[in-house]
Amino acid sequence: MQTRRIAPWQIWIWPLVLVALAFGGWLLPWQDWVPPLRLWVDDHAMTGWLAFIGVYIVVVMLPLPAAAMSIFGGLAFGWWGFPLSMVGSILGAVFPYLIGRRLLRAPLLRRFDGPKVAAADRAIAQNAVLFIILLRLTPILPFTVQNWLLGVTSVRFWPYVWASTVGLAPGTLAMVWIGEMGGLASAEVQGLRFWGIGAGLAIFGALIIWMGRVATQELRRAGVVEDSPGGPSSID
C-alpha cells in the first residue's frame, strides 16, 4: 500500500470545524423541526431509541459519517443521545470485528504481509487495549476502516469492546454536545446559558485535540505511524 502523510491540520481541523458549527448553530431554524422531533421521541420512547440505535449500527458498518448520527442523537434525545450513540457505535464496531475475525483474517494477513502489518501486530501484542484506545482517539484512519482492520488483528473480543468504548467516548460526547446545543437553540434558552455551554464545548474540543495529538505520538513510537523526511507522520 502507498504511504500517505498525516499533516498537522488533519489532527487539528476536525474538532475546530465542529466547534465552529456548534457556535453557529443558533443561526439555523432549529425551532421549526427540533421541538416536533423531540415531541415524537417523548411519545414513542423505546421505539425511538431502538430505531436510532439500529440506524446507527448500519451507518457505522458502512462508509457513512457516524459523527452526524451522534449530532442527531443530541438533537433528538438531548444528553440521552450520548449513551444511545455509544451503544450504536459499539454494536456497529462489533459486527465488522466478528466478520473480520472469522472470515477475513487469514486471507488478508497472507495478502498484506509487510513491515507495517508486522509493526501493528507487535504494538497489539504488547498492549492491545492501549493500542485500540489510541487508535480510536486519532484521525489517521476512518472509524469504519478501523473496525474492519481490527478484526484481522490478534486482539481478543472483550478487550476490543471496552477499549473501543473508552476511546470513542470523548469524540462521541463532543458530537452529542453539538446536537444538544442545537436543541437548546430551538428552545430559545437565554444567551448567557447557551454561550456558557458553548464555551464548555470549546474547552472540551481543545482537550480532544490534545488527546488526539498525544495518541498520534504514541502510535508513532509504536511504529504504526512513521516520521517522514521533512514532514509529519505517515501510514500505509
Side-chain angles (χ1 to χ4, degrees):
M1 290 185 289
Q2 291 184 347
T3 299
R4 70 177 178 88
R5 179 177 299 176
I6 300 178
W9 66 266
Q10 290 178 282
I11 300 174
W12 287 88
I13 193 63
W14 69 267
L16 295 178
V17 169
L18 291 172
V19 169
L21 288 175
F23 276 110
W26 65 276
L27 296 174
L28 299 178
W30 301 114
Q31 65 277 6
D32 294 338
W33 61 277
V34 173
L37 174 64
R38 290 194 169 186
L39 181 62
W40 183 91
V41 168
D42 291 339
D43 290 340
H44 293 80
M46 186 65 68
T47 301
W49 298 353
L50 294 177
F52 175 77
I53 291 173
V55 173
Y56 207 122
I57 292 172
V58 174
V59 168
V60 169
M61 293 183 65
L62 300 176
L64 298 174
M69 284 297 298
S70 297
I71 295 175
F72 180 80
L75 283 170
F77 303 100
W79 293 113
W80 279 105
F82 175 65
L84 294 175
S85 296
M86 287 299 300
V87 171
S89 294
I90 297 304
L91 291 179
V94 162
F95 291 119
Y97 169 86
L98 294 177
I99 294 172
R101 190 73 164 179
R102 297 179 181 275
L103 301 178
L104 304 177
R105 176 179 168 83
L108 284 179
L109 287 180
R110 288 194 299 268
R111 173 66 178 84
F112 298 104
D113 184 20
K116 295 290 185 178
V117 175
D121 283 341
R122 286 196 302 271
I124 292 174
Q126 292 171 0
N127 197 331
V129 170
L130 179 60
F131 175 83
I132 294 173
I133 292 175
L134 294 175
L135 189 62
R136 295 307 197 189
L137 289 171
T138 66
I140 63 176
L141 284 176
F143 178 48
T144 300
V145 175
Q146 291 181 23
N147 298 333
W148 289 99
L149 290 182
L150 286 170
V152 302
T153 65
S154 58
V155 64
R156 292 174 296 176
F157 177 76
W158 287 113
Y160 172 80
V161 171
W162 80 261
S164 294
T165 302
V166 172
L168 291 172
T172 302
L173 179 58
M175 301 305 101
V176 172
W177 201 326
I178 291 172
E180 170 63 4
M181 288 193 67
L184 292 175
S186 70
E188 298 181 350
V189 299
Q190 293 182 350
L192 183 59
R193 180 187 173 195
F194 181 84
W195 290 110
I197 295 174
L201 176 59
I203 295 172
F204 189 68
L207 175 63
I208 293 177
I209 293 173
W210 175 79
M211 293 170 65
R213 289 178 62 84
V214 171
T216 301
Q217 292 170 0
E218 292 300 321
L219 289 176
R220 184 182 297 119
R221 293 191 186 100
V224 180
V225 178
E226 291 187 349
D227 293 329
S228 57
S233 58
S234 60
I235 66 168
D236 276 347

